[in-house]
Amino acid sequence: MGRPGRSIMTLLATNDRRNVFVGDEDDRILASELFDSLQAATFDGTGITREAYSARESLALDIVENKARALGLSTERDAGANLVITLEGTEPELPFLACGSHLDSVPQGGNYDGAAGVIAGLAILAGFKAEGFRPRRSLKVFGLRGEESSRFGRAYMGSSALLGALRPEELDARDRDGASLADSMAALGIDIARVRRGECLLDPAQVAGWIELHIEQGPVLVARDLPVGVVTGIRGNLRHRAVECRGEAGHSGAVPRWLRRDAVFATAELIGHLDRHWRTLLERGRDLVVTCGEMGTDPREHAIARIPGTTRFSFEVRSQNAETLETFYDIFRSECAMISEERGVSFEFDRRVESKPALLDAGWIARLKSAAEALGLPAEEIPSGAGHDAAVFANAGIASAMVFVRNEHGSHNPQEAMEIDDFLSGIAVMRIAIREALQ
């Protein structure tokens, strides 16, 4: 598996192959340098903050771009202001193969979410260039903008804009400071008129495939003691960033239960009902997760002796099955209507946001599993509960695939703990599969 002038290390730690390490020392040096640089530049005092279409996200793109240029690779910013690094093929007119991920983060997030996929792609291009490998079709790495929904409530903004999948009303979403997505994108040189028209900034026919490495953001690989996994599909989601339950404030000692319009009790009843429906659907074999990640009353009105008149909460349901998503969303709205009538409250909803589920390409899944086996690694399949840009590429008709790397303590927090050896093994799997596809 070696390449001229490159140092390859392989260690078989156990007989069951669950802790095999297959890595490249040059990849280790490159990855360590870039992860350290991103950490130093975007540390916020608690974790990492590189919010979508912000100066810190732009700084992260600059750091990766400067390293790519130092390695002799060509770079550009595309029509969506994403970073694109290219190893040109001998027949550049052919549809190119793409890999990469995003470089933004949630506030006070971790350093590996997204960035690991961009650095993995750069390592692969750098290795091919160092050994003189020149493929027929070009290979490109994308450092995508705007994958996280934390700022504007919409995920996959960068890849969706590229592929004509951002709706006009989504461009009018605003962050907590009042800045709109449209203005934030336009400030980076993106032609918002084209995006509003749903025009593809990147022709899907020009892309032969999309391959993405990402840390697993759940506990499955850790629990199963697996360094890497091959992703089979990505859950879609339906969301409301803000739902308000409106009742009537009152004195806690003066209003009996039958006359109360208590927003907290109504919201608590709603969530309890949703949990029971969730459990029932799981028992019927449905793939489903439900979350209310933001919940609260107005702190300006807090008082021990006050019946809360208003609550505000977020709603999200995820599944690999579009029918299941709609079924549970209908249950949610029906429960809101029933509780409104029974408790004398009302529920008001902001704009519904949705991301479609995606099945990944069977041919690429087989190729990645074969590459893992060739390296002595477990070739395990795993679904993705979290969303990824690969879903947007897959739903645009582009053959897409993903490699997950083991990561402790979940994600979207500063405690992300991807081991560099596992990361290098993920790169090695991708490198073999991509080389095979390019030859």
Side-chain angles (χ1 to χ4, degrees):
M1 302 297 174
R3 305 198 300 278
R6 310 275 287 181
S7 173
I8 302 297
M9 300 178 296
T10 303
L11 174 63
L12 182 61
T14 63
N15 290 331
D16 68 1
R17 302 194 306 168
R18 290 180 181 268
N19 286 310
V20 176
F21 163 59
V22 180
D24 182 305
E25 188 62 22
D26 290 341
D27 292 346
R28 181 190 299 276
I29 294 168
L30 174 63
S32 297
E33 177 186 338
L34 283 173
F35 282 130
D36 287 349
S37 295
L38 290 171
Q39 168 86 17
T42 59
F43 182 63
D44 58 23
T46 300
I48 297 298
T49 296
R50 301 190 283 260
E51 286 197 297
Y53 301 103
S54 70
R56 286 193 176 206
E57 183 194 53
S58 295
L59 178 58
L61 268 67
D62 290 343
I63 289 169
V64 177
E65 182 172 32
N66 289 338
K67 185 61 180 178
R69 288 177 174 173
L71 291 167
L73 294 163
S74 64
T75 70
E76 62 179 325
R77 302 297 172 96
D78 67 10
N82 306 291
L83 170 63
V84 183
I85 306 166
T86 301
L87 178 67
E88 189 171 273
T90 58
E91 300 178 43
E93 69 278 4
L94 292 174
F96 61 83
L97 187 62
C99 58
S101 192
H102 61 98
L103 280 166
D104 64 322
S105 79
V106 300
Q108 297 186 357
N111 199 32
Y112 302 122
D113 178 5
V118 180
I119 293 172
L122 177 57
I124 291 169
L125 260 67
F128 285 164
K129 182 174 179 61
E131 69 175 82
F133 174 58
R134 185 90 184 276
R136 285 181 61 230
R137 67 178 76 243
S138 296
L139 177 62
K140 295 180 181 284
V141 176
F142 281 73
L144 293 168
R145 289 187 179 269
E147 191 266 358
E148 301 289 359
S149 61
S150 54
R151 185 178 181 192
F152 294 105
R154 170 63 153 95
Y156 319 144
M157 294 170 285
S159 52
S160 295
L162 271 186
L163 295 166
L166 268 184
R167 295 194 296 269
E169 63 270 20
E170 292 172 330
L171 289 165
D172 298 325
R174 294 183 180 273
D175 66 11
R176 289 177 176 85
D177 296 322
S180 73
L181 173 57
D183 288 345
S184 300
M185 295 175 76
L188 296 168
I190 299 170
D191 188 338
I192 296 301
R194 295 180 66 192
V195 178
R196 283 194 184 277
R197 291 195 297 268
E199 183 179 335
C200 285
L201 307 182
L202 171 65
D203 182 358
Q206 294 180 352
V207 188
W210 171 264
I211 318 301
E212 183 170 354
L213 179 145
H214 206 282
I215 57 170
E216 191 202 1
Q217 294 172 281
V220 176
L221 292 179
V222 171
R224 295 173 65 186
D225 197 21
L226 299 171
V228 297
V230 179
V231 181
T232 55
I234 299 170
R235 283 179 176 142
N237 66 69
L238 296 177
R239 293 173 167 173
H240 284 285
R241 191 177 189 182
V243 181
E244 282 194 358
C245 177
R246 295 187 176 183
E248 184 176 71
H251 191 291
S252 64
V255 184
R257 186 182 188 280
W258 67 281
L259 290 176
R260 288 196 181 202
R261 298 171 59 202
D262 189 318
V264 166
F265 273 76
T267 303
E269 182 176 357
L270 170 66
I271 292 173
H273 287 191
L274 294 179
D275 188 38
R276 287 193 289 275
H277 288 299
W278 180 11
R279 182 174 60 190
T280 298
L281 289 172
L282 290 176
E283 290 170 350
R284 294 176 181 175
R286 300 289 190 99
D287 174 65
L288 185 68
V289 288
V290 185
T291 307
C292 292
E294 298 181 8
M295 171 71 67
T297 54
D298 187 342
R300 296 171 298 180
E301 300 177 355
H302 284 173
I304 293 174
R306 179 189 180 97
I307 299 167
T310 305
T311 63
R312 184 182 176 95
F313 59 96
S314 64
F315 169 81
E316 180 194 78
V317 55
R318 295 188 185 224
S319 177
Q320 292 189 78
N321 183 277
E323 180 185 359
T324 299
L325 288 175
E326 291 293 348
T327 296
F328 198 86
Y329 185 77
D330 288 344
I331 290 171
F332 164 61
R333 295 299 293 256
S334 296
E335 288 287 353
C336 288
M338 182 189 70
I339 292 170
S340 293
E341 183 176 351
E342 290 181 351
R343 289 191 173 268
V345 300
S346 63
F347 289 93
E348 297 188 4
F349 309 87
D350 70 351
R351 179 175 51 85
R352 175 175 129 159
V353 178
E354 57 188 274
S355 298
K356 295 179 181 179
L359 291 177
L360 300 185
D361 184 75
W364 269 102
I365 291 171
R367 185 177 286 124
L368 289 167
K369 290 176 66 177
S370 177
E373 290 171 348
L375 291 165
L377 291 163
E380 298 286 336
E381 295 184 0
I382 179 173
S384 175
H388 302 285
D389 288 303
V392 178
F393 287 91
N395 286 324
I398 297 167
S400 301
M402 289 192 74
V403 174
F404 269 175
V405 175
R406 175 169 50 189
N407 165 65
E408 291 194 83
H409 311 311
S411 184
H412 287 188
N413 67 71
Q415 284 74 49
E416 288 175 358
M418 178 190 73
E419 294 289 340
I420 194 68
D421 286 357
D422 293 341
F423 178 58
L424 299 182
S425 293
I427 293 175
V429 170
M430 282 184 62
R431 179 175 277 126
I432 289 177
I434 288 173
R435 183 193 293 272
E436 178 185 317
L438 290 173
Q439 287 177 332

